[in-house]
Amino acid sequence: MCPGNSFIFAEKSKSVSIELIQNTLLKDNFSREDLVILLGADEEGRKLLFEKAAQVKNEAVGKKVYFRGLIEYSNRCAKNCYYCGVRSGNKKVARYRMTDDEVLEAARFALENHFASIVIQGGELFTQEHIQKIGELLLKIKEMSQGRLGITLSLGEQTEETFRYWFECGAHRYLLRIETSNPDLYRKLHPANILHRFETRLKALEDLKKIGYQVGTGVMIGLPFQTLDDLAGDLLFFKNFDIDMAGMGPYIEHEETPLYQYRQLLMPRINRFYLSLKMVALLRIMMPDINIAATTAMQTIDPQGREKALMVGANVIMPNLTPVKYRENYLLYQDKPCIDEEADECQRCLEARIYMAGCEIGWDEWGDSLRFKRKNPSQINEKP
Ligand code: SAM
Ligand code: SF4
């Protein structure tokens, strides 16, 4: 795993002049080289990038932020990704799966608090029991909410048949990060076996699109061995794939993972944070009408990280609705925030911060990806 030690990574690998940043920002389409230049912007250049992204965001999707109540359904996972704290190889984690009642209660909380959408996220499992269980839960949530809750799934790679079954049971958005669009880097981040193939991930994303899901993907930013050129490639991958939604955030190390041994290769966390903001800002400029999440990992580095992401391009936020008793066992990375706050406490502090960031909350709105709506006008069934 993780062979080689030749990597170049710095938030700013060499000083980029402000004129070059200004001129590059004027272009209609960014080349890979342009993106590397913009990703390397220093503080002054970064400010210009963020201003432009904020302007594009306001014009394309406005000030509204949509809430997706995050339900971390289970940390049982058949996979062993080298970066993730809940990988199957980490025997120090107590495994859990939420009961149906707990999931329904969290969904009801979302509904009653006007979130309008939830995300069910968890480890990747392929058993018939799991597939069936998720299908049944989807039907129960649809019934309980009388179809008013939008449901996003984030349950890893599955067969086309499973994706279709869950779609038919009521899920309509799916988040599956590509993690990195560079196949060589992907191989350094995953075990070399049939369960962790880059090609399978690509096929899964294609299947989701074909079935009719709104497809979200994303990458981790600041990984060991990752370069600015890789990140530029990721942005171009999103555009070429024509994604509907994105969720990106800084990579954060976890002691009980194989990647931890490379921690000395990492840039400081604050640089990973700024690089993540630049990725959000650039993606907003490149794809003005998609949904972009302000991710929890942003908040791990900067307590106001999610609000800052909203200011430079993000328009979706995922308040955590997982029962507190499970949260310490869903630690994908160290220092994950809000692990001891109940959902209503999380929500109150979040609301105030969103208004302070100059945004409004799209209460009771599904807030589907505008890009998806434009591509598929007949498929949208905006509830409630
Ligand atoms: N198992 C599903 C999957 O992998 O798509 C969904 C859950 S998984 C925990 C969600 C995301 O967490 C992954 O796509 C990955 O990008 C992110 N993640 C895992 N470990 C991380 C880490 N150490 N730092 C930042 N993000 C991490
Ligand atoms: Fe499992 Fe997802 Fe973590 Fe990989 S990232 S080990 S698939 S939970």
Side-chain angles (χ1 to χ4, degrees):
M1 55 153 293
C2 302
N5 57 8
S6 60
F7 76 104
I8 331 153
F9 211 138
E11 190 218 349
K12 181 166 80 89
S13 45
K14 61 176 187 273
S15 183
V16 182
S17 81
I18 195 73
E19 290 76 27
L20 186 54
I21 298 286
Q22 273 165 337
N23 292 336
T24 310
L25 279 173
L26 288 175
K27 297 189 182 182
D28 288 335
N29 265 311
F30 298 140
S31 66
R32 198 171 179 117
E33 293 70 33
D34 293 334
L35 291 168
V36 171
I37 288 170
L38 293 168
L39 287 167
D42 63 9
E43 201 177 333
E44 202 184 356
R46 191 165 79 199
K47 200 163 160 268
L48 294 181
L49 167 61
F50 293 165
E51 279 166 11
K52 166 131 188 182
Q55 184 193 336
V56 171
K57 180 191 158 186
N58 271 339
E59 284 164 13
V61 294
K63 288 186 172 177
K64 275 203 186 148
V65 176
Y66 301 103
F67 276 17
R68 318 280 189 233
L70 176 64
I71 302 174
E72 292 160 337
Y73 170 64
S74 171
N75 65 359
R76 294 183 194 156
C77 189
K79 288 178 70 165
N80 220 354
C81 309
Y82 289 151
Y83 42 84
C84 177
V86 304
R87 63 200 297 273
S88 57
N90 183 4
K91 303 298 176 205
K92 294 192 178 165
V93 177
R95 302 288 162 175
Y96 74 87
R97 180 172 81 176
M98 286 172 66
T99 64
D100 288 11
D101 283 348
E102 286 168 338
V103 175
L104 283 169
E105 199 181 313
R108 194 172 293 112
F109 178 93
L111 190 64
E112 288 171 355
N113 285 277
H114 311 281
F115 287 11
S117 281
I118 55 170
V119 179
I120 301 178
Q121 190 184 77
E124 204 170 301
L125 293 176
F126 320 104
T127 61
Q128 206 44 48
E129 197 260 345
H130 172 69
I131 293 165
Q132 199 66 36
K133 170 66 89 191
I134 295 294
E136 285 162 13
L137 268 174
L138 289 168
L139 294 172
K140 283 185 189 174
I141 295 168
K142 284 283 159 191
E143 191 191 343
M144 179 276 290
S145 69
Q146 297 174 324
R148 286 188 293 144
L149 268 186
I151 310 179
T152 308
L153 293 181
S154 175
L155 297 167
E157 291 159 18
Q158 300 288 339
T159 63
E160 185 181 339
E161 191 190 359
T162 301
F163 285 146
R164 197 175 291 282
Y165 166 57
W166 289 345
F167 188 74
E168 283 160 3
C169 290
H172 76 297
R173 309 182 190 114
Y174 205 101
L175 297 174
L176 181 65
R177 287 187 178 179
I178 188 77
E179 315 295 2
T180 170
S181 62
N182 174 347
D184 292 333
L185 179 56
Y186 193 93
R187 279 189 277 277
K188 289 178 188 162
L189 306 176
H190 298 94
N193 63 35
I194 189 98
L195 273 187
H196 300 83
R197 292 184 62 234
F198 181 73
E199 296 71 21
T200 312
R201 179 130 325 193
L202 274 183
K203 178 174 182 310
L205 286 169
E206 292 290 353
D207 287 345
L208 290 164
K209 194 195 254 186
K210 183 165 75 184
I211 292 165
Y213 280 96
Q214 289 174 51
V215 181
T217 190
V219 292
M220 283 174 285
I221 297 158
L223 288 157
F225 314 109
Q226 191 183 43
T227 65
L228 293 187
D229 186 66
D230 289 329
L231 291 171
D234 294 337
L235 290 167
L236 293 172
F237 170 83
F238 300 150
K239 183 144 189 185
N240 292 337
F241 188 86
D242 200 7
I243 63 171
D244 306 303
M245 319 181 287
M248 300 182 280
Y251 161 72
I252 300 172
E253 56 277 32
H254 188 297
E255 233 174 342
E256 299 299 330
T257 61
L259 224 53
Y260 192 68
Q261 65 189 294
Y262 298 103
R263 62 193 178 284
Q264 76 285 358
L265 302 185
L266 300 173
M267 67 176 90
R269 281 191 180 189
I270 189 67
N271 293 22
R272 277 178 257 167
F273 175 71
Y274 278 118
L275 198 51
S276 302
L277 286 183
K278 288 184 205 170
M279 286 289 283
V280 167
L282 283 169
L283 187 58
R284 175 57 71 198
I285 297 171
M286 292 167 74
M287 304 188 78
D289 55 356
I290 63 169
N291 277 349
I292 303 179
T295 56
T296 312
M298 297 277 213
Q299 191 192 355
T300 304
I301 297 184
D302 179 328
Q304 280 157 27
R306 289 189 297 183
E307 294 76 1
K308 289 182 181 170
L310 293 177
M311 289 161 83
V312 305
N315 67 332
V316 166
I317 218 156
M318 305 202 292
N320 198 336
L321 304 186
T322 312
V324 166
K325 67 177 173 181
Y326 295 127
R327 291 201 199 174
E328 64 175 0
N329 291 318
Y330 201 81
L331 295 184
L332 313 176
Y333 42 80
Q334 283 164 202
D335 310 321
K336 198 167 163 232
C338 294
I339 56 167
D340 54 1
E341 266 180 36
E342 288 294 352
D344 54 348
E345 292 172 53
C346 260
Q347 193 204 339
R348 277 196 303 275
C349 83
L350 195 59
E351 266 181 59
R353 284 150 52 154
I354 287 173
Y355 284 111
M356 273 158 59
C359 301
E360 295 161 12
I361 301 172
W363 297 120
D364 286 321
E365 289 180 57
W366 275 18
D368 278 319
S369 156
L370 279 183
R371 188 170 196 88
F372 183 86
K373 287 190 201 182
R374 289 181 178 140
K375 284 187 291 185
N376 309 277
S378 61
Q379 275 191 50
I380 280 289
N381 184 16
E382 186 81 21
K383 296 265 183 60

